[in-house]
Structure formats: structure tokens, C-alpha cells
Amino acid sequence: MYKFPSFASGKRPDVSIVLPYVFLLFCCFLSSKTVFAQSDTAINGIVVEENGKPVAFASVALQDAEGKGIKGTLTDSLGRFSFPALQHGKYRIKISNMGYITHQTDMIQLTVEHRIVVLGKLKLMEDAQSLGSVNVSVQKKVIEQGIDKMTINVENSILAEGNTALELLQRAPGVKVDDEGKISLKGRAGVNVMINGKLTYLSPAELSVMLKGTNSASVSKIEIMANPSAKYDAAGNAGIINIVMKKSQMKGMNGSVSVNGGAGRKARYGSGFSLNYKNGGLNVFGSYNYAYRGETEYLDFSRRFYNDGVVEGNYDRISNQHTETNEPLNTNNFRVGMDVDIDPKNTIGFLVNGNVGKYLHDSKTGNILRNQAGVIQSEMATTNYDQQSWSNITYNLNYLHKFKKEVRTLSADLDFAGNSFTSNLNLDTYTAANASTPAQTSNRKGYVPAKTNVYVAKADYTDELGKAIKIEGGLKSSFITSDNNLVYQNLADNVWVYDPASSNHFKYEEQIHAGYLNLNKEFKTFTIQLGLRGEYTHTLGNQVTTGSVLKRDYFQLFPNLALNKNAGENNQFQLAYSRRIQRPDYGDLNPFRVFRDPLLYYEGNPYLTPELTQNIVLSHVFKGKYTTALNYSRTTDVITWVTGQIDNLNTTYERPQNLKSLVNYGLSFTGQTNYFSWWTATNFANVYNNVYRGGEESGTFKNSQVSFTVNTQNSFKLGNGYSAELNAYFNSKSVYGISTERSYHSVSAAFQKNLLKDKASLKLLVNDIFQSSQYKQFTRYQNIDMNSHVNVDGRRVMLSFSYRFGNPFSIKERRSSNDDIQNRIKGGS
């Protein structure tokens, strides 16, 4: 239970503990002030599309009678805007948004008699030009940067073809994916990945497999939110990455088919189709994508062992290990759903999402142990044959009710996700004879059936208090059950014998019950949003094999603040604060061991505690194109995978531990530039410092490093239906826990030709042209002296063809900061 701190002892209070409560008092004070605040004058309005749907986050500028900009703002998620506390006089409103024709109102006059002007609904027309009977809409940029999030429009990117969702994230600005699939954002681990605004509730290993099995052909866009509001789950210390799947909103019958093929070290190919029928208040949609990904990786590990257990002086033994893998993956993604507008006020939807696949890890490892003089002490050859399969099926029922009052809405969701994962492992090792021991063979097999069920219920409500305060609140409950029964057997005298030391049956239950409240108020010169989220967590970990049970119950408050100030049309500032949590998942808590070979394994830690982060971001947007952000965060009890070593057994292992703290601070810049009419680019740069400090379990240490990352995404219109893209990124040397990662980079290019009156396209992709995306890491701590190099299968060439058929006139997709609701309302999962 989270307790209020006591200062009776006279000790100086910890700022990280006190700050949330000071913030809460500040929230209460401002909230009480805003409830009674009234504006003498105001201009209010709602920006909508031609079909009446709100346009979220459109730029709205207030101008004087001569057209000179006075100040600006953005519409909210319901398309609303307001300019309060204005002087009497004449004004105009100018509204602009990507893909729409700029709209300017007639002259508006504020007088003593007309102090508040309500413009009603202002319609934005799509920016399109008619070419015969074909309607050509302005295409979104590949990357769009807002003050609160970055959006990567995957379906508009040529470079996305033939990739997996995990590979798409590797090229996202500020995102880093390591060789094991762990994701970090601006140098910070603990990213929460959502699919269509919903948590996956998978362990990092299962999430990595699922993202590898998700074809880019089924992804619409990726949203990156470093400082999400209280509406979102508090989980995810570094922020949230939301992967939005494709869904057509076109009238009539529409669809597309696609096929792709190519190779890296092994072949890759895939195909898929989508269908959509929309007529009046009925929308039925579905899609299916199949992908095969062949892959070969090379892994090298060198480990030095010391007799006295301290890394200094000359080592006693050195182990050199080389692994070559064959990792074919087959994946099937499908989606089917229906939305029904019962009447203008009520909408109901149903959706089924599926991801089913098989993965084979077939590797051969050679391990040679030498003494200091270079004489071979032992030589091992290991074959690891691991057949994996998984099935992730999610069912969603959603409902939306619009009240008579236009801004008042109520939405509700029910979700069930059944996730199953199975691993059949065979580990065979041959040890060559030496002077003291004869040759010997060891055989081990493991069976890992894992099943996770997730039940979620959620309701959200939006309203407005008077004309001044926007309010939204909601409740959410999630129930998770997980059952992992790992059984290892060893071959002895041609008989398989149960291995009780390595086997483990682990059951895990988790309940999270949450509620939140957001208040948004516009003042004369700035806008403030106050949010508070409370989450009660109950977890129960049961090691059936040993009879050990670990139960935890705690309640946490997560305040959130965002101050926005518009300084004229060209400058917008935001100061944001949030408190977030990262809970250990059942994969981290499960103490079972997974062997790569007999001398290298991974295991969980049932005694992990949640990590807590306080995050502050100051950002500035200039002309809607250039975003600069300063960030500072401090995480306590940071969960980090730490390497350990058993010297007398020549064995190395990794397990998650709670380190004392991680401090991260940095500066980032994102610039969206039109160099020429045919060349546009989004450039990103981030400089940050990570400072890790160890605690009791890992030992006292400090590991810090100033790092930087740069990313450039370029799009070229070459004329006559030809276009091209070029992406490059560089990640410098960085630290993670007790380890240090070396720098790496990548350059990719793609070309496209539109065919058949722009209904078809042919794309050619070359990924990681110079095969330079290599993961190298070293660890020097206590008795650990280890180097690793993972040579991934990054360079590949892909050719794809896609064809679109049906009605070419589309209903423009609604964009909002709250796609969690929007995707669910319209069949998101």
C-alpha cells in the first residue's frame, strides 16, 4: 500500500516521494479555481469534415482584421477549439490541417452586446484534385510529429514492404530494438506496446515473437507517445508505442491484394488480401496476410574466467563460442469485424483479431575452452532444435452512445484474449575427449506449454462543464491468468528421466482495477490539462513445483500535468509531468531456466518489485514543423537483465534484477523539411545520458554514458508515377545495466512505380544495404568479463506488388490523440 510520507523525524524528505503529493495539491487548487473561472469574451467553434466527423488536432489561428496572427491553438479530440478572454474588436479564424483545404472565416466582431461568439461547425474540405474520374487525395507524410506524439504512416512508406512489425520499429525515430527484441525509447527501456490502443499483456519474449509474426502489410501506422495522459494505463515508464492495424472506411465494396518476395541470407515471401463493404450505417471488413521469413544469424560470445572471482590481472580460462542459426518463421494474421450504426446516437461493433504461427530455432554451437597458455581444456558441440508455435486470438465488443449534448459521449468495451505458446526443445551436446576425460554425449529435451488468458472491461465518458472545462473520465478492470509448466528430461541409459532441478510449474494471476479523471481548461494565454489515475494491483505467483507462493497488493496514484502555451501562430510550448509504473510480467517472475547451450541459460526472478518513474518534458514546436524537447526522468527499482557467472562451472546466466535507480536526461530535435517540391524529409536527433546505479542484490556500481542517435527519413517524387524513399539511422555507444553496447547504423532504400491508373504499385526494397546493423556488447563487472557479437540477417532485397479495387472515393480517417477510443469504436482491437 502506498503510504503518505512522514517527516516527524526531521529528516529531509525524498523529493521523488514528495513531488506527486505537491502536484496533487496543485491540481486541486487549479481545479477549484477553474470551476468558477469565467471568460468575459470568447470565440468558440468545432472543426468537422464534410461528413460531420470531428477533425482532431487541426491548427486554428486567431487573426486580426488585417490578417496578422495573434495566437493559435489546436482542436481537441472532438474537434473543438476556443479563444477566451479576448478584447472587443474584429477577428478572423484560419483553420489548416494536412490533407484539407485551408479554411478562413468571415470577419467576426466582439462587442459589449456580442461578447461570446459560437461559430458552430466549420467544415474542412479534402484537398483533392480531379483527374478524369479518379480522385487523388494528398498523401500523408511518412512521419508526422505533433507536440504530444509522433505518427509513422506505415501504409504510405515504400520501405515498409516485406518487413515485420518489429523491423518497422527498428527504423522509428528514437526507438531502439536490441538483438533479443527488447524495445527502448530515447534511451529508456520499459516501453508499453499496444495494438490498436489496447495492451497486449504478453511477456517481452512472447511480444517479440508476435511482432516478428506481424506482417507490415497489415499495419496502418505506428504512434509513439513519450508522455501519455492519465487516460492511458500507467504502465510503460518510457512511454507507449501504439501499432494501429489497417481498416478501410471506403464506401461500397473495396479491397486490395498483395504479394511480395525476396531474400536475405534466406528466402522471404508473403501475400494477403483485404475486403471492406460500407453502406449507410453498416461496415463489414476483413483481412488476411501470410508471411514466411527465412533467417540465419551468427552469434559469438567470449567469456573470461578468473580463479579469484575478480576481473583483474590475467584470466585463468577463456571460452570462445560461435553459433549459427536457421530460424524459419511462418505467420498468419487475420482480422474480421463489423460496425453497425443502430441510429445516429448509438453504434455497436464486433471484432476478431488473430495471429497464429510457427517458428523454428535450429542452431549449432561450438564452444572451446582454453587456459591462459592457449591449450584446449574442453571442446563442445551443441545442437539446439526448438519448435515453437503460438496462437493469439482477441475478441472485442464495443459500444458508443452520443448524447443530445454534442460533446457528451459514453463508450464501453469488453475484450477477451486467448494466448497460447508451446515450445518443444531438444538440446544435444557432444564433448570431445581430452587428456583427462573421454568423449561424452548429453541429451536434454524440454516441453513448455504456456497459456495466458486476458479479460478486460472498460468504459469512458467525455463531457463539458459549462463552456470552459472539458472533462473525461473512465474505469477499467483487467484480469490475467497464466500457466507455464516447463518439463525438462535428460537421457540416461537410453531412458528419458525427469529433471526436477530444471523443471518448474509456475502459475500467475494479476488483477488491475483503475479509474482516471482528466480536466482541460483554456485560459487567456495558455491551456492546462490535469489528470489523475489510480490503479489497484493484485498479483499472485505460485510455484507449484516448490509450493512457494508470493502475493502482492498495492495501490498507486499517477498524476499527470500538461501546460500548453501558444505564442502566436508559429510557436507552441508544452510542459508535461507524469508518474508511471513498470510492473514485472509473468515471464520476468517465472524462475524457470531456458538453455541456449549447457553453459549459457536465462532464468526469471520471482522477487522482482515494480519500478516507478517520474518524467518531465519541456517541448517547443515552431511553425508546426520543428519540435525540440528537453526531458528528465528518474526511475527507482529499475528492472534490468543482469549477467551472472559461476566460475567453477564455466557457466554464464542472465536474470532480471531490481537495480537502485536509472536517471535519464536528454535533448531531442525533430524537423520536417521540404527541401524541394519533389524532396521531403523528417530528421530526428537525440542526445541523452543514462546513469545506472546498483543496489544490494547487484552490488554497488555506477554505469553511465552520454549517447546520441540520429535518424533521417526521406521521400522523393520522381515523376511519371515513380517515387523513392531513403532511411538511415545511427545509434552511438550506450549502456544498459552493467553492460555497454557499441554503436551501429543502417541505411535502407526503396523505389515505387504506380501502375494501372494508380490502382496498382510495384515496389523494390533494399534493407540495411551495408549489413551494418550489428549488435556488439561487453560487460566488465565483478567476476564477469564477457564480449558478444550478434550478426543479424539485416540485409535483404524485397519485391512487392499490390492492387486496389472498388470505389476510389474514401471517407478520410479520423485522427485523434485518443485513438484508443476511436479504433475501438470503429472495430479496433
Side-chain angles (χ1 to χ4, degrees):
M1 182 69 68
Y2 203 61
K3 297 180 179 179
F4 283 81
S6 172
F7 308 135
S9 63
K11 294 182 180 180
R12 182 179 179 182
D14 187 340
V15 174
S16 65
I17 297 177
V18 176
L19 188 57
Y21 301 101
V22 175
F23 170 79
L24 288 177
L25 292 175
F26 176 68
C27 289
C28 295
F29 171 75
L30 282 180
S31 297
S32 63
K33 299 285 285 185
T34 57
V35 169
F36 299 104
Q38 295 292 332
S39 299
D40 293 329
T41 58
I43 299 176
N44 304 320
I46 302 175
V47 181
V48 298
E49 300 175 358
E50 294 177 73
N51 57 15
K53 290 188 176 182
V55 179
F57 295 101
S59 297
V60 185
L62 179 69
Q63 300 176 333
D64 61 17
E66 283 76 39
K68 181 180 179 181
I70 301 174
K71 58 176 162 179
T73 188
L74 297 176
T75 59
D76 64 11
S77 59
L78 297 176
R80 302 170 300 187
F81 70 89
S82 178
F83 291 107
L86 301 175
Q87 296 179 357
H88 296 160
K90 295 181 179 180
Y91 301 93
R92 293 182 189 273
I93 298 295
K94 181 180 179 181
I95 306 169
S96 59
N97 199 38
M98 185 178 301
Y100 297 92
I101 299 173
T102 299
H103 176 82
Q104 189 168 36
T105 66
D106 295 331
M107 195 72 69
I108 303 166
Q109 188 162 359
L110 294 178
T111 63
V112 176
E113 293 78 17
H114 299 89
R115 294 180 294 108
I116 298 179
V117 175
V118 179
L119 299 175
K121 294 183 178 180
L122 304 175
K123 291 186 178 181
L124 284 187
M125 310 295 289
E126 289 190 19
D127 187 359
Q129 50 185 327
S130 182
L131 297 178
S133 61
V134 180
N135 188 49
V136 183
S137 297
V138 174
Q139 191 179 52
K140 297 178 184 177
K141 293 182 179 179
V142 174
I143 298 177
E144 298 175 319
Q145 174 68 64
I147 197 165
D148 63 338
K149 70 177 178 181
M150 175 184 290
T151 301
I152 303 169
N153 294 303
V154 174
E155 57 188 337
N156 294 335
S157 174
I158 313 171
L159 279 167
E161 289 296 320
N163 284 283
T164 69
L166 194 66
E167 290 165 341
L168 293 176
L169 291 178
Q170 288 177 319
R171 284 201 296 266
V175 177
K176 187 175 180 180
V177 182
D178 68 9
D179 60 295
E180 295 179 351
K182 293 193 289 287
I183 303 168
S184 61
L185 180 61
K186 291 187 176 180
R188 296 163 53 202
V191 179
N192 219 1
V193 176
M194 307 174 80
I195 306 295
N196 283 337
K198 295 181 180 294
L199 296 177
T200 60
Y201 297 100
L202 298 175
S203 70
E206 291 171 337
L207 176 64
S208 176
V209 170
M210 190 191 76
L211 293 179
K212 287 180 181 178
T214 301
N215 195 321
S216 62
S218 60
V219 178
S220 170
K221 60 186 175 182
I222 297 173
E223 299 172 329
I224 302 171
M225 294 171 277
N227 201 51
S229 73
K231 178 177 182 60
Y232 294 91
D233 292 75
N237 283 334
I240 290 174
I241 294 177
N242 183 30
I243 301 175
V244 181
M245 310 305 285
K246 286 182 179 178
K247 178 192 168 186
S248 176
Q249 292 278 359
M250 292 183 176
K251 294 179 181 179
M253 178 69 77
N254 302 273
S256 65
V257 293
S258 64
V259 61
N260 64 74
R265 293 175 182 143
K266 295 289 179 66
R268 290 188 175 203
Y269 51 84
S271 61
F273 68 88
S274 66
L275 287 172
N276 178 82
Y277 175 75
K278 184 174 179 65
N279 185 16
L282 175 66
N283 187 28
V284 181
F285 54 91
S287 64
Y288 171 80
N289 286 282
Y290 168 79
Y292 171 83
R293 187 204 69 183
E295 184 176 69
T296 292
E297 291 187 347
Y298 306 110
L299 302 87
D300 290 279
F301 295 90
S302 68
R303 292 167 285 174
R304 293 179 172 87
F305 301 94
Y306 298 79
N307 283 332
D308 54 6
V310 179
V311 180
E312 59 182 25
N314 295 323
Y315 60 85
D316 179 68
R317 305 175 307 284
I318 182 171
S319 166
N320 291 309
Q321 175 180 313
H322 175 75
T323 300
E324 180 176 337
T325 71
N326 175 35
E327 303 174 67
L329 179 148
N330 291 270
T331 181
N332 302 269
N333 292 278
F334 60 88
R335 193 166 187 246
V336 60
M338 179 175 62
D339 301 322
V340 180
D341 293 333
I342 301 172
D343 55 46
K345 299 293 184 181
N346 296 280
T347 300
I348 191 169
F350 178 73
L351 174 73
V352 179
N353 262 336
N355 185 305
V356 180
K358 293 182 178 181
Y359 167 73
L360 172 64
H361 178 93
D362 182 10
S363 65
K364 293 178 172 55
T365 299
N367 192 320
I368 300 176
L369 182 70
R370 294 181 173 89
N371 62 17
Q372 187 180 2
V375 177
I376 295 177
Q377 303 294 295
S378 70
E379 187 172 358
M380 304 170 63
T382 300
T383 298
N384 186 332
Y385 193 84
D386 186 6
Q387 293 178 299
Q388 300 178 7
S389 62
W390 72 91
S391 173
N392 309 115
I393 311 293
T394 303
Y395 304 88
N396 169 258
L397 179 67
N398 55 79
Y399 170 74
L400 171 68
H401 176 71
K402 299 177 182 178
F403 293 86
K404 185 175 181 181
K405 184 179 178 181
E406 190 166 304
V407 297
R408 184 180 296 167
T409 63
L410 174 66
S411 64
D413 283 84
L414 291 175
D415 292 271
F416 169 74
N419 306 294
S420 63
F421 175 84
T422 302
S423 170
N424 283 282
L425 168 70
N426 287 275
L427 197 67
D428 302 318
T429 301
Y430 171 79
T431 303
N434 56 33
S436 58
T437 59
Q440 55 182 319
T441 300
S442 65
N443 305 92
R444 166 177 289 186
K445 69 177 181 180
Y447 177 62
V448 189
K451 188 172 183 60
T452 303
N453 290 327
V454 181
Y455 308 84
V456 182
K458 184 179 180 182
D460 297 280
Y461 176 78
T462 62
D463 202 349
E464 196 171 63
L465 300 179
K467 295 288 185 180
I469 302 175
K470 301 161 190 174
I471 181 174
E472 60 178 349
L475 298 172
K476 179 179 180 180
S477 289
S478 63
F479 302 83
I480 303 172
T481 61
S482 177
D483 191 339
N484 295 261
N485 189 7
L486 170 63
V487 177
Y488 274 121
Q489 298 180 67
N490 296 320
L491 187 64
D493 297 327
N494 292 321
V495 177
W496 289 106
V497 180
Y498 175 72
D499 181 1
S502 300
S503 302
N504 188 63
H505 188 186
F506 182 71
K507 291 185 175 182
Y508 179 76
E509 296 179 6
E510 178 184 276
Q511 296 182 30
I512 300 177
H513 305 285
Y516 76 93
L517 180 66
N518 276 333
L519 297 175
N520 186 289
K521 163 70 177 177
E522 284 203 22
F523 292 88
K524 183 176 181 180
T525 58
F526 68 93
T527 302
I528 183 171
Q529 178 173 288
L530 305 172
L532 182 62
R533 186 180 185 92
E535 293 188 350
Y536 166 76
T537 304
H538 166 80
T539 62
L540 180 66
N542 181 10
Q543 296 185 54
V544 179
T545 304
T546 62
S548 174
V549 177
L550 185 61
K551 177 182 178 181
R552 285 198 172 100
D553 293 273
Y554 52 92
F555 176 78
Q556 296 279 359
L557 290 175
F558 302 97
N560 185 287
L561 165 69
L563 291 169
N564 288 279
K565 180 175 176 59
N566 294 291
E569 289 187 65
N570 295 328
N571 294 280
Q572 185 180 4
F573 297 88
Q574 183 184 79
L575 176 64
Y577 164 80
S578 65
R579 183 173 188 264
R580 302 188 64 77
I581 189 173
Q582 187 69 20
R583 302 174 182 88
D585 63 75
Y586 54 85
D588 294 331
L589 296 169
N590 194 343
F592 75 83
R593 294 179 177 179
V594 176
F595 289 86
R596 176 164 283 178
D597 65 53
L599 302 180
L600 179 62
Y601 66 85
Y602 306 87
E603 65 179 4
N605 180 359
Y607 303 105
L608 291 173
T609 58
E611 58 181 64
L612 292 167
T613 295
Q614 299 196 65
N615 186 39
I616 299 176
V617 180
L618 174 64
S619 54
H620 169 243
V621 179
F622 179 65
K623 290 187 175 181
K625 297 181 179 180
Y626 309 102
T627 303
T628 306
L630 280 167
N631 69 278
Y632 173 87
S633 68
R634 185 175 188 271
T635 303
T636 56
D637 295 321
V638 56
I639 299 173
T640 308
W641 282 83
V642 176
T643 302
Q645 198 161 273
I646 307 173
D647 290 301
N648 63 328
L649 299 178
N650 302 321
T651 300
T652 302
Y653 62 88
E654 286 191 13
R655 71 195 304 258
Q657 294 183 11
N658 285 111
L659 303 185
K660 183 178 180 181
S661 66
L662 165 63
V663 172
N664 168 281
Y665 54 91
L667 171 68
S668 65
F669 172 79
T670 306
Q672 296 179 302
T673 306
N674 295 329
Y675 294 115
F676 302 99
S677 59
W678 52 272
W679 179 8
T680 62
T682 299
N683 300 307
F684 172 85
N686 181 39
V687 180
Y688 63 92
N689 187 23
N690 276 346
V691 183
Y692 286 90
R693 295 183 185 275
E696 295 181 3
E697 184 178 8
S698 59
T700 302
F701 72 89
K702 175 183 177 182
N703 193 16
S704 63
Q705 176 71 47
V706 176
S707 308
F708 68 92
T709 179
V710 293
N711 185 301
T712 179
Q713 172 74 33
N714 299 264
S715 299
F716 308 91
K717 295 180 180 178
L718 306 178
N720 295 323
Y722 288 94
S723 57
E725 284 184 24
L726 178 68
N727 174 272
Y729 65 82
F730 177 86
N731 292 314
S732 75
K733 181 180 177 182
S734 61
V735 294
Y736 174 77
I738 63 174
S739 301
T740 301
E741 300 173 349
R742 301 189 185 277
S743 63
Y744 63 93
H745 62 280
S746 177
V747 178
S748 302
F751 302 89
Q752 174 177 287
K753 169 62 176 174
N754 291 333
L755 305 168
L756 304 177
K757 297 182 179 180
D758 291 338
K759 289 186 176 183
S761 61
L762 186 67
K763 303 174 184 179
L764 176 66
L765 160 72
V766 184
N767 190 73
D768 195 9
I769 298 172
F770 305 106
Q771 189 68 35
S772 52
S773 182
Q774 307 291 316
Y775 300 102
K776 299 178 181 179
Q777 187 181 88
F778 65 87
T779 304
R780 307 282 188 275
Y781 179 65
Q782 293 180 346
N783 65 327
I784 303 167
D785 185 355
M786 185 174 75
N787 291 275
S788 65
H789 177 199
V790 181
N791 187 339
V792 299
D793 192 357
R795 180 168 55 195
R796 57 188 173 274
V797 178
M798 298 293 297
L799 183 66
S800 70
F801 175 80
S802 62
Y803 178 75
R804 299 169 296 279
F805 57 88
N807 193 334
F809 296 94
S810 67
I811 299 175
K812 194 172 186 67
E813 178 189 13
R814 176 177 179 176
R815 294 178 295 169
S816 115
S817 66
N818 185 14
D819 275 341
D820 182 11
I821 283 186
Q822 304 310 326
N823 286 305
R824 289 182 290 116
I825 291 171
K826 294 301 180 184
S829 71

